[in-house]
Amino acid sequence: MPHKIGFVVVSSSGHEDGFSARELMIHAPTVSGWRSPRFCQFPQEIVLQMVERCRIRKLQLLAHQYMIPSKVEFYISESLPEYFTPYQAERFRRLGYVSLCDNEKTGCKARELKSVYVDAVGQFLKLIFHQNHVNKYNVYNQVALVAVNIIGDPADFGDESNITSREKLIDHYLGHNAEDPALEGTCSGKSDYISPLDDLAFDMYQDPEVAQIIRRLDERKREAVQKERYDYAKKLKQAIADLQKVGERLGRYEVEKRCAVEKEDYDLAKEKKQQMERFRSRVYEQLQLHELVDAELMRRPLDLPLQPLACPSSPHHQPPMRSLPQPEERVSENRLADPFLQKPSSHCLDVSPQRPTVDWPPPATDPPPKTHPDSLPYDERPLPVTRKQLGAAVSEAERRDVLGDEAQRADTAGEPEPLTEKALREASSAVDVLGEALVAGAYSKTWSHREDALLTLHKQLTDTPVGTPKEDLKSTLRAAVFLVRRAIRDIVTPVFQASLKLLKMIITQYIPKHKLGRLETAHCVERTIPVLLTRTGDSSARLRVMASNFIQEIALFKEVKSLQVIPSYLVQPLKANSSTHLAMSQMALLARLLRDLGTEGAGFTVDSVMRFSVQALEHRVREVREAAVGMILDLYAQHRALVLEYLPPDDSTTRRNVLYKTIFEGFAKIDGRPTDAEMRAQKRAAAEEAEKRKKEEIRALQGQLAALKEMQAEVQEKESEATKAKNQDTQERKVAPPNAPEIPDNHYLDNLCIFCGERSESFTEEGLDLHYWKRCLMLTRCEHCRQVVEISSLTEHLLTECDQKDGFGRCYRCSEAVSKEELPRHVKTRDCNPAKSEKLANRCPLCHENFSPGEEAWKAHLMGPAGCTMNLRRTHVLHRTPVLPPGKGPAATRAGTSGSKVGSKIPTPKGGLSKGSSRTYTKR
């Protein structure tokens, strides 16, 4: 029957202080769960190791109320890669994903419990959390998980139909059916039945102590049903229902007490505590009154991490199991869980239904009596322990018992367990020199013995007299280095620290004191530095920092610095499958030592560092690439010419790579040259200044044109008065000579279109308006605002003045106005004809062609026979005027440059022209 599976957190990509992923191992109303770091990078991941290889049937996630990931992916694996190697993707098989709601409907005041039914076999489960849902409460863009629950059964024993037992044979001959509906919901019901007590909602809303009592009562209820004690089972069922309400109420009190403590309202916290105790004692008295539970059954459970529930039908639980390691033996959450499960405890828990309290057995030569798991309560059955095969001749269960008994006797006596045959063969040289007792301590399964062995060896080496023969000194040193190399790999922090302390003493005191020479120093460094570099990639941040700092420290010792060994290890190329932590630690350590040692005679050369850095630019991790860029820039400040030899040329093709663009811009800053961004900013400022001057010139020309119009009006008024005087005195007026007079300057603009140069007697004020609106070849109507604009300024009109200007953008290639919806496709296809500088050519917005610059070139292009083929007004018959004197042409009356505003607006026939034209013209 599927049941709750216990697990250990193997690793996590990070967490906020106080919200470690280890919180997921505990299910209680007051649990805080895991939170990602603030402003973290996604995806985030957590790897869980289950206590045994099992078939997962159901996964449950309890999401945070507002730190909600948009999606959670599930991966499963049978095993993890070798130690200190990254969790390769191919090791895990993807099961699928679930999407979580953004919780907007509840105002981020409720938590979503997501249950997923799967059927997958494995021992390692990886959860990958994607980008968070954005809301006003999640200001740091974090994701969180309050709890996770795994329900399944042992993988190798999931099919109970193959297990023949005396009870099944009896049931078979008696005709009893295991699928009997009367037994549904009990242990002997359906094999895929999941108890509600294993559900995550039960643990997250129940008081832990009451939850344990409910589980034990449920176990007794199932036993009563099997024994056909139905009245007793009915009483237990009613008690369980009542206790569930009690547990929820006590859980609510516990949450209120926790909130009061956080607010430092200790009076309220004390009141809640007393209220809980009174309520709990009253309920327990009622239970004892009805003889449902014993007083011993209601003892408070130990404050241990979440224990998995065992399935009574699982043969995995038949051998006796030992408790988890003591708290001081547990290391950080990021260590692999295998050593926890392989380490036998010093004592066993003796738990039985008659005596559920936990007593440590007194020291004795013989092991304590073993209790069969089937006789234990459901929740007190031991955890499965995964162990490596120790030999082909002895079965795993027998060997586990033997090793456990030996470890228990050794711990009771205060001495490490004896060396195994494999350990004796491996450490034979060290045993000959240092003795079997000390080496056995270094190989012990108890971390305190391993630490004591290293400290004892440290004292022995320190107290070695000066006159000791060289051969004995060298053999002792090599044996000590052997044990140090092994201890550096230890996952327990005190043992690791002791190994570093011993190694430092050997290099800085033991070798100089006895004058053993460079050869022995080189042996120590070459044997230990590769292992130490591997520890810089540890998943524990504390161990990474300790290893990196130690390597940097010993690299600066004069005994080690002259060897130039450490720099040669640091500049070795990064492996493609190296972990992120290892690559980042190597980059940081190389950068620090490069600043301390330099590139002259200390092991580092420009060639080796640049080859390493250029190769690191192609690493899969962004932080590693950025660190390589910083290292190249630091090296360039000292060796400019040598660094450039290892980089591609600085051209547009190379700058398409963001990293190389960053590098070359950094070079420009170091050299004091302006970067591309600064040059673009300078050009932009110069263009804005030129545009400003251009607008000022346009305003000046508009003022001059306004003055010219006023003068023209005054002259016309005087001429009209003179004409009237001549009509009244026709007799005295003398007839002028028959020669036709020249057209005065002030009448030159009469009946003339100042844009196309056409002159016509029909060009009155209304006639010119109609000409501008329909026929002038130099003008066109905007399709979006229906204004009449000059063709040469159509692009600027669409970008700056049109009513629909917000819907247009300028193409950087052809400089024309393009709809913003079409602009990405237009830029991507690169089908447009590139524009040239205004000084070199004009650009027609109709046919998209470049032609010679100047105002007269516009007339030739738009009105000439070989001009613009897209000008729809060319079919109109043009009446060209004779050549005009210099300074009298239409160009002189325009605003001087394309895009200026002059005169008044052109009225639209029948009200068809809207206000706010991008260009208005002089009207007659």
Side-chain angles (χ1 to χ4, degrees):
M1 183 178 72
H3 59 276
K4 180 176 290 189
I5 302 295
F7 60 85
V8 177
V9 176
V10 175
S11 70
S12 65
S13 53
H15 61 85
E16 186 181 4
D17 292 342
F19 299 91
S20 169
R22 290 180 65 87
E23 293 287 329
L24 298 176
M25 299 164 57
I26 303 172
H27 294 170
T30 57
V31 72
S32 301
W34 168 82
R35 288 186 188 178
S36 68
R38 297 181 176 183
F39 301 112
C40 62
Q41 295 182 352
F42 291 98
Q44 294 281 304
E45 68 177 45
I46 296 176
V47 179
L48 309 177
Q49 178 182 2
M50 291 165 281
V51 295
E52 60 181 336
R53 181 175 178 270
C54 63
R55 179 180 298 276
I56 301 177
R57 299 301 181 93
K58 184 178 181 181
L59 295 173
Q60 290 184 300
L61 302 179
L62 183 59
H64 196 266
Q65 58 266 31
Y66 58 86
M67 298 182 186
I68 310 170
S70 58
K71 182 172 70 173
V72 181
E73 291 185 88
F74 301 96
Y75 292 79
I76 196 167
S77 174
E78 296 283 350
S79 62
L80 287 181
E82 293 298 328
Y83 195 59
F84 291 130
T85 58
Y87 301 140
Q88 305 171 8
E90 57 268 17
R91 294 277 185 173
F92 287 87
R93 178 170 59 88
R94 187 174 186 271
L95 299 179
Y97 72 92
V98 293
S99 299
L100 301 177
C101 68
D102 54 12
N103 216 5
E104 290 181 357
K105 294 182 179 179
T106 64
C108 297
K109 295 181 180 179
R111 293 174 176 174
E112 181 180 8
L113 177 60
K114 182 74 75 172
S115 298
V116 183
Y117 291 89
V118 296
D119 188 7
V121 178
Q123 191 172 2
F124 294 88
L125 180 68
K126 179 163 67 173
L127 310 178
I128 296 183
F129 301 84
H130 290 265
Q131 183 72 40
N132 61 290
H133 286 297
V134 179
N135 55 65
K136 62 181 179 180
Y137 303 101
N138 193 1
V139 295
Y140 300 113
N141 290 335
Q142 296 172 271
V143 294
L145 185 64
V146 178
V148 59
N149 190 28
I150 305 174
I151 297 176
D153 42 21
D156 298 331
F157 300 92
D159 187 7
E160 298 183 2
S161 61
N162 296 328
I163 302 176
T164 58
S165 63
R166 183 176 61 183
E167 291 78 5
K168 287 196 173 185
L169 288 175
I170 293 174
D171 291 343
H172 174 72
Y173 286 108
L174 293 177
H176 292 174
N177 185 7
E179 301 295 329
D180 189 352
L183 299 177
E184 186 174 352
T186 66
C187 269
S188 59
K190 295 184 179 179
S191 60
D192 58 350
Y193 172 76
I194 298 176
S195 172
L197 304 183
D198 289 339
D199 195 271
L200 184 59
F202 176 81
D203 283 319
M204 296 306 295
Y205 295 103
Q206 287 287 334
D207 177 74
E209 183 176 342
V210 176
Q212 293 294 331
I213 297 175
I214 291 175
R215 286 194 174 96
R216 295 172 186 177
L217 292 180
D218 185 74
E219 184 74 17
R220 292 188 177 183
K221 185 191 71 173
R222 289 197 293 266
E223 294 175 359
V225 171
Q226 291 178 354
K227 296 178 182 179
E228 298 185 354
R229 298 176 58 191
Y230 299 123
D231 291 337
Y232 184 59
K234 181 179 179 181
K235 291 176 61 177
L236 290 173
K237 177 182 177 182
Q238 184 61 40
I240 290 173
D242 295 338
L243 278 176
Q244 287 182 351
K245 299 178 181 178
V246 171
E248 292 178 2
R249 187 172 178 181
L250 289 173
R252 185 166 61 252
Y253 287 160
E254 182 66 26
V255 173
E256 293 173 356
K257 184 183 72 173
R258 181 72 60 88
C259 294
V261 172
E262 291 177 355
K263 297 177 181 178
E264 297 185 352
D265 188 357
Y266 301 118
D267 294 335
L268 179 60
K270 181 180 179 181
E271 179 184 349
K272 290 295 179 182
K273 179 182 177 182
Q274 295 175 351
Q275 186 178 7
M276 290 174 61
E277 291 175 351
R278 289 194 303 268
F279 185 68
R280 192 188 303 273
S281 62
R282 188 167 65 251
V283 172
Y284 288 176
E285 290 175 359
Q286 292 293 328
L287 291 176
Q288 292 181 6
L289 181 64
H290 292 82
E291 299 179 352
L292 294 176
V293 292
D294 302 328
E296 295 179 351
L297 188 61
M298 294 181 293
R299 294 285 296 271
R300 294 209 171 218
L302 292 176
D303 187 15
L304 294 175
L306 178 67
Q307 301 292 329
L309 300 178
C311 181
S313 61
S314 173
H316 264 308
H317 301 282
Q318 292 180 4
M321 312 310 299
R322 294 165 177 84
S323 64
L324 291 175
Q326 298 300 316
E328 60 269 19
E329 295 185 14
R330 297 186 186 126
V331 293
S332 64
E333 69 188 25
N334 295 329
R335 295 267 41 92
L336 291 176
D338 289 336
F340 302 156
L341 301 178
Q342 294 170 5
K343 184 187 300 182
S345 176
S346 301
H347 304 281
C348 295
L349 295 180
D350 185 9
V351 183
S352 64
Q354 291 76 21
R355 187 180 178 182
T357 58
V358 178
D359 294 328
W360 298 110
T365 305
D366 296 328
K370 301 178 182 179
T371 304
H372 198 276
D374 289 342
S375 65
L376 300 179
Y378 186 73
D379 290 289
E380 297 297 332
R381 293 177 182 172
L383 298 176
V385 178
T386 58
R387 296 182 181 274
K388 297 180 180 179
Q389 287 289 347
L390 301 178
V394 184
S395 66
E396 179 181 356
E398 294 174 351
R399 180 59 58 91
R400 183 162 61 245
D401 293 342
V402 171
L403 291 178
D405 296 342
E406 291 178 356
Q408 185 175 3
R409 287 193 297 269
D411 290 344
T412 304
E415 297 179 358
E417 60 272 17
L419 291 173
T420 62
E421 294 181 3
K422 179 181 178 182
L424 279 173
R425 289 193 302 269
E426 180 181 319
S428 59
S429 59
V431 170
D432 295 339
V433 177
L434 302 176
E436 185 175 353
L438 192 146
V439 177
Y443 272 78
S444 174
K445 295 181 180 180
T446 304
W447 68 269
S448 58
H449 292 325
R450 299 197 298 273
E451 182 186 20
D452 292 341
L454 296 175
L455 296 178
T456 302
L457 181 58
H458 182 280
K459 188 175 184 302
Q460 289 181 5
L461 296 181
T462 305
D463 298 340
T464 303
V466 179
T468 307
K470 294 287 185 181
E471 294 299 326
D472 295 343
L473 294 173
K474 290 181 180 179
S475 59
T476 303
L477 182 142
R478 293 179 179 260
V481 170
F482 172 80
L483 295 183
V484 168
R485 177 183 171 88
R486 187 178 191 277
I488 288 175
R489 298 190 180 97
D490 204 299
I491 65 173
V492 181
T493 302
V495 180
F496 179 70
Q497 290 176 326
S499 67
L500 298 184
K501 179 181 177 181
L502 178 58
L503 179 59
K504 182 178 178 180
M505 187 275 297
I506 292 174
I507 295 175
T508 59
Q509 299 179 22
Y510 185 81
I511 295 177
K513 175 182 176 180
H514 300 285
K515 300 179 182 180
L516 296 181
R518 290 166 51 92
L519 185 61
E520 300 303 322
T521 305
H523 173 77
C524 292
V525 175
E526 291 176 352
R527 294 291 295 169
T528 56
I529 288 300
V531 187
L532 272 173
L533 285 174
T534 305
R535 293 310 300 269
T536 60
D538 197 277
S539 57
S540 172
R542 182 183 179 187
L543 293 182
R544 288 200 305 270
V545 173
M546 290 171 56
S548 298
N549 292 341
F550 184 80
I551 293 174
Q552 183 181 6
E553 182 181 1
I554 65 172
L556 299 179
F557 293 157
K558 61 179 181 180
E559 297 86 356
V560 180
K561 183 177 179 181
S562 60
L563 298 175
Q564 300 183 4
V565 175
I566 296 179
S568 63
Y569 283 107
L570 292 178
V571 295
Q572 291 181 0
L574 297 172
K575 296 181 180 179
N577 60 346
S578 61
S579 67
T580 303
H581 293 318
L582 180 61
M584 285 300 301
S585 298
Q586 184 173 347
M587 294 293 296
L589 189 57
L590 175 58
R592 295 201 302 265
L593 286 180
L594 193 59
R595 286 193 292 268
D596 295 338
L597 301 177
T599 56
E600 301 296 334
F604 291 118
T605 62
V606 178
D607 177 75
S608 61
V609 176
M610 281 302 301
R611 290 181 184 276
F612 173 82
S613 302
V614 172
Q615 187 265 348
L617 291 175
E618 301 177 358
H619 199 269
R620 58 186 176 83
V621 180
R622 177 178 59 84
E623 290 81 0
V624 176
R625 299 194 296 269
E626 293 176 351
V629 171
M631 192 178 302
I632 292 174
L633 294 178
D634 292 341
L635 206 59
Y636 179 80
Q638 303 174 9
H639 310 279
R640 286 174 167 77
L642 294 177
V643 170
L644 292 176
E645 293 179 0
Y646 296 90
L647 298 175
D650 184 7
D651 52 22
S652 58
T653 303
T654 305
R655 283 181 176 262
R656 291 178 183 175
N657 189 315
V658 178
L659 292 177
Y660 285 114
K661 181 180 179 181
T662 304
I663 291 173
F664 288 124
E665 288 184 354
F667 290 169
K669 290 182 180 180
I670 294 174
D671 296 337
R673 297 180 283 108
T675 62
D676 289 348
E678 294 174 348
M679 294 177 64
R680 287 195 297 269
Q682 293 175 1
K683 291 180 180 180
R684 192 181 304 110
E688 291 176 355
E689 185 65 24
E691 185 69 20
K692 184 178 179 181
R693 289 197 302 268
K694 180 178 178 181
K695 291 181 179 180
E696 292 177 353
E697 293 175 359
I698 291 173
R699 283 195 294 269
L701 291 174
Q702 288 177 346
Q704 295 175 8
L705 184 59
L708 180 62
K709 290 174 63 179
E710 292 178 358
M711 293 172 59
Q712 181 180 0
E714 292 177 359
V715 172
Q716 290 177 353
E717 183 179 356
K718 293 179 181 179
E719 289 179 352
S720 62
E721 293 176 355
T723 303
K724 292 179 181 179
K726 290 179 181 180
N727 291 335
Q728 294 175 359
D729 194 10
T730 55
Q731 295 179 356
E732 298 177 358
R733 183 163 52 91
K734 296 181 180 180
V735 181
N739 296 334
E742 293 184 358
I743 301 174
D745 291 347
N746 53 4
H747 289 282
Y748 176 75
L749 297 178
D750 293 344
N751 309 118
L752 176 67
C753 174
I754 63 173
F755 300 103
C756 65
E758 180 181 355
R759 184 184 297 275
S760 174
E761 293 297 330
S762 63
F763 286 177
T764 61
E765 184 173 358
E766 291 77 14
L768 276 174
D769 289 343
L770 185 61
H771 174 74
Y772 294 152
W773 180 251
K774 291 187 176 182
R775 299 186 181 87
C776 183
L777 300 183
M778 302 295 292
L779 306 178
T780 186
R781 277 184 290 178
C782 176
E783 298 179 355
H784 304 281
C785 65
R786 308 304 297 171
Q787 283 186 290
V788 176
V789 296
E790 206 172 356
I791 295 175
S792 60
S793 63
L794 179 59
T795 298
E796 295 299 324
H797 166 79
L798 292 174
L799 293 174
T800 59
E801 299 173 348
C802 183
D803 294 341
Q804 305 295 328
K805 62 182 179 181
D806 294 335
F808 289 89
R810 186 187 296 273
C811 173
Y812 74 94
R813 180 177 172 86
C814 63
S815 300
E816 292 187 19
V818 182
S819 172
K820 288 185 177 179
E821 297 179 355
E822 296 292 327
L823 185 59
R825 185 192 60 80
H826 176 85
V827 172
K828 185 177 181 180
T829 55
R830 300 174 65 88
D831 293 334
C832 56
N833 183 22
K836 297 181 180 180
S837 174
E838 293 181 0
K839 297 181 179 180
L840 300 177
N842 289 327
R843 177 77 177 188
C844 178
L846 301 181
C847 64
H848 316 297
E849 296 292 335
N850 300 320
F851 54 91
S852 56
E855 291 287 339
E856 294 299 327
W858 276 105
K859 292 184 63 177
H861 176 72
L862 295 173
M863 300 174 59
C868 181
T869 58
M870 302 301 295
N871 190 355
L872 300 180
R873 296 188 179 186
R874 291 185 60 204
T875 56
H876 180 65
V877 179
L878 302 178
H879 302 283
R880 300 186 180 277
T881 58
V883 180
L884 304 175
K888 304 290 185 178
T893 64
R894 301 170 67 184
T897 56
S898 175
S900 63
K901 294 183 179 181
V902 296
S904 60
K905 299 179 181 179
I906 304 173
T908 304
K910 299 182 181 180
L913 186 62
S914 62
K915 295 182 179 180
S917 172
S918 64
R919 175 175 294 277
T920 55
Y921 308 101
T922 304
K923 68 177 182 178
R924 296 290 298 164

